[in-house]
Amino acid sequence: MFIHKITDSIDYVGVNDRTTELFEGLWPLPYGISYNSYIVKGSEKIALIDTVELGHTREFMESLRLQGIDKIDYLIINHMEPDHSGGIPLVVTAFPDIKIVGNKKTIDMIKGFYHLMNDYLYVEVAENQTIDLGNISLKFIMTPMLHWPETMMTYCEEEKLIFTGDAFGCYGALNGGVVDDSMECSLYINEMYRYYSNIVAKYGKFVLSALKKLSSVEIEYLCPTHGPVWHSRLAEVLEITRRLASYEGEDGVTIIYGSMYGNTAEMAELFAISLSRRGIKNIRVHNASKSSLSEMLADALRYKGLIIGSPTYNTEIYPPVSHLVSAIRARDMKNKIVASFGGYTWAPGATKKIADNLEAMNFQDAGSVIMKQSLTEEVENNISEVAEKFCALFNS
Ligand code: FEO
């Protein structure tokens, strides 16, 4: 039997999902995803940290059986979203003497989702309470709204290791290894931007509060519920998370456009060329009808420049662009330098609606370019002018 050891006392018992197409029914999983669970073996007691998604409980229970585990004292629930809590009923059935450990909100949610109503099942914990496993202990740190209200983390001081729920997680199934020391991690780092922007981005201020709490404890391992355990790249992962949570954009510009017949697309190309000629090197262009919302959000959040274009469609913003704009607003993105553009045939409207949305978010606006029907020299000049102003703001 192969055991994924993280430290002397802690083993990985998560599972891979390589079949689900869309996480939460929304977000593409080209490289799959892992649902991470961990076993903490103290000298006197054993704790299981989180479970897995319902459809993967067979492998999960098999993994516990193969480890020869016939008794678990505590099931710690750091996060109740069903991709982690789906295995709770099965674990309770398999280990009838187990106690479920969570905060008040967690316990209410377990009762609501899984109808496990007997109070004797539960140990309710609050900030900084601990559970003793013998030679090691687990301390609970409340980190609400990462990205649900009940979310908490579980810290093992003796191993300098923390179980973080979705925080520091990423898409991507694990390909043999579990700890980053033994893996090439560039795929997971890229997928972390996509995961964070899709799932967590609205809650930046809560992420920053959690990071502040974590700064007061000694940590060598971050054990999230998705993706690798972070050890050698821990500092880098903390820094990426801090930057994203602060809405601190990296050097780069995302251009996102919609286009039915190629006219607004020509404007997007001209914007990209105008920025490139003014020295901007990192430019990501997305056709909103082709790129996934997931990828577009990742780039929109990651980079400090954002330019959005759309033709007018039924007097509104073209639907895939409209979806993107509302997803950006829903995430409360901040600190962007922006511009907008778009074409129309007989009724202008989309560009102004994009600009109004960007203005409502208090971004620094370099201006808009509106084009009637097709590209003209005047439109080209207007794009050049807005690009000039955009670059001045970008480089200031
Ligand atoms: Fe991975 Fe919020 O669940």
Side-chain angles (χ1 to χ4, degrees):
M1 181 200 55
F2 191 84
I3 295 177
H4 289 291
K5 283 207 102 43
I6 312 290
T7 66
D8 285 346
S9 317
I10 297 173
D11 298 339
Y12 176 86
V13 288
V15 299
N16 280 323
D17 177 353
R18 300 184 196 275
T19 52
T20 300
E21 294 276 356
L22 295 175
F23 185 65
E24 295 186 344
L26 288 168
W27 314 110
L29 294 175
Y31 311 107
I33 191 166
S34 68
Y35 309 115
N36 298 349
S37 171
Y38 305 87
I39 280 278
V40 186
K41 293 173 178 165
S43 55
E44 289 172 24
K45 292 190 171 172
I46 293 180
L48 176 64
I49 313 288
D50 293 309
T51 71
V52 301
E53 196 265 342
L54 181 64
H56 293 80
T57 47
R58 188 192 62 78
E59 305 105 276
F60 178 58
M61 297 308 288
E62 183 65 4
S63 158
L64 293 178
R65 191 187 68 76
L66 286 173
Q67 289 231 15
I69 292 168
D70 52 12
K71 182 171 182 289
I72 298 176
D73 299 281
Y74 298 112
L75 170 57
I76 317 286
I77 300 296
N78 284 328
H79 181 25
M80 268 304 293
E81 195 164 7
D83 54 331
H84 309 294
S85 66
I88 292 175
L90 212 53
V91 169
V92 169
T93 303
F95 302 97
D97 296 327
I98 203 166
K99 295 286 184 197
I100 303 178
V101 180
N103 57 55
K104 183 174 183 324
K105 286 193 169 73
T106 311
I107 294 168
D108 287 347
M109 285 186 190
I110 296 174
K111 289 177 177 175
F113 275 113
Y114 302 111
H115 312 289
L116 298 169
M117 307 308 283
N118 293 322
D119 286 326
Y120 73 81
L121 250 180
Y122 299 102
V123 175
E124 185 178 319
V125 293
E127 181 78 359
N128 288 334
Q129 266 183 258
T130 58
I131 280 186
D132 190 1
L133 303 181
N135 59 334
I136 53 178
S137 61
L138 298 173
K139 180 155 95 173
F140 306 103
I141 300 175
M142 299 301 132
T143 53
M145 296 316 302
L146 303 186
H147 55 124
W148 278 29
E150 86 297 356
T151 46
M152 66 180 200
M153 297 188 187
T154 299
Y155 178 57
C156 181
E157 188 176 1
E158 294 80 1
E159 299 284 19
K160 300 185 175 59
L161 177 152
I162 188 159
F163 302 102
T164 61
D166 284 344
F168 317 114
C170 61
Y171 300 130
L174 296 171
N175 299 320
V178 171
V179 182
D180 63 356
D181 306 343
S182 62
M183 306 157 70
E184 206 296 295
C185 285
S186 53
L187 168 89
Y188 300 102
I189 296 286
N190 275 333
E191 288 292 83
M192 179 174 286
Y193 285 99
R194 206 162 62 82
Y195 179 84
Y196 183 95
S197 66
N198 297 174
I199 309 293
V200 189
K202 182 177 178 61
Y203 303 102
K205 72 175 179 184
F206 296 97
V207 176
L208 292 176
S209 300
L211 288 175
K212 197 169 169 204
K213 284 189 180 183
L214 297 198
S215 67
S216 65
V217 290
E218 201 177 344
I219 299 171
E220 290 180 2
Y221 294 88
L222 295 170
C223 298
T225 43
H226 302 288
V229 168
W230 300 110
H231 179 228
S232 51
R233 296 181 81 155
L234 180 147
E236 179 187 354
V237 165
L238 286 171
E239 174 56 14
I240 290 171
T241 306
R242 184 204 63 74
R243 217 165 41 225
L244 291 172
S246 312
Y247 303 94
E248 198 178 291
E250 292 177 28
D251 249 16
V253 179
T254 309
I255 301 174
I256 298 168
Y257 71 93
S259 190
M260 287 174 277
Y261 300 106
N263 291 300
T264 307
E266 281 188 300
M267 298 178 82
E269 297 294 345
L270 278 181
F271 262 109
I273 292 165
S274 298
L275 298 183
S276 174
R277 290 191 176 169
R278 287 168 174 80
I280 293 181
K281 290 182 178 166
N282 190 8
I283 302 169
R284 309 285 172 109
V285 180
H286 290 282
N287 175 349
S289 298
K290 189 166 179 230
S291 292
S292 66
L293 178 68
S294 173
E295 293 170 279
M296 294 188 287
L297 281 173
D299 283 345
L301 179 67
R302 181 170 181 174
Y303 298 112
K304 72 176 175 181
L306 177 62
I307 300 180
I308 302 178
S310 166
T312 299
Y313 191 89
N314 287 336
T315 74
E316 298 290 338
I317 303 171
Y318 186 54
V321 180
S322 177
H323 192 189
L324 169 85
V325 170
S326 74
I328 286 172
R329 287 202 68 173
R331 282 157 184 75
D332 267 339
M333 288 191 197
K334 299 178 189 3
N335 306 326
K336 302 276 169 222
I337 294 149
V338 298
S340 50
F341 64 94
Y344 71 98
T345 300
W346 73 94
T351 307
K352 168 123 185 19
K353 286 182 185 197
I354 293 170
D356 288 348
N357 273 284
L358 298 176
E359 187 186 345
M361 300 191 74
N362 292 317
F363 294 148
Q364 290 186 77
D365 191 355
S368 293
V369 181
I370 299 176
M371 174 182 77
K372 183 174 182 181
Q373 292 162 359
S374 67
L375 211 55
T376 60
E377 200 175 326
E378 186 188 357
V379 172
E380 287 187 28
N381 290 337
N382 290 343
I383 288 173
S384 216
E385 245 175 60
V386 170
E388 182 73 29
K389 196 170 165 202
F390 184 94
C391 290
L393 291 169
F394 190 85
N395 294 320
S396 65

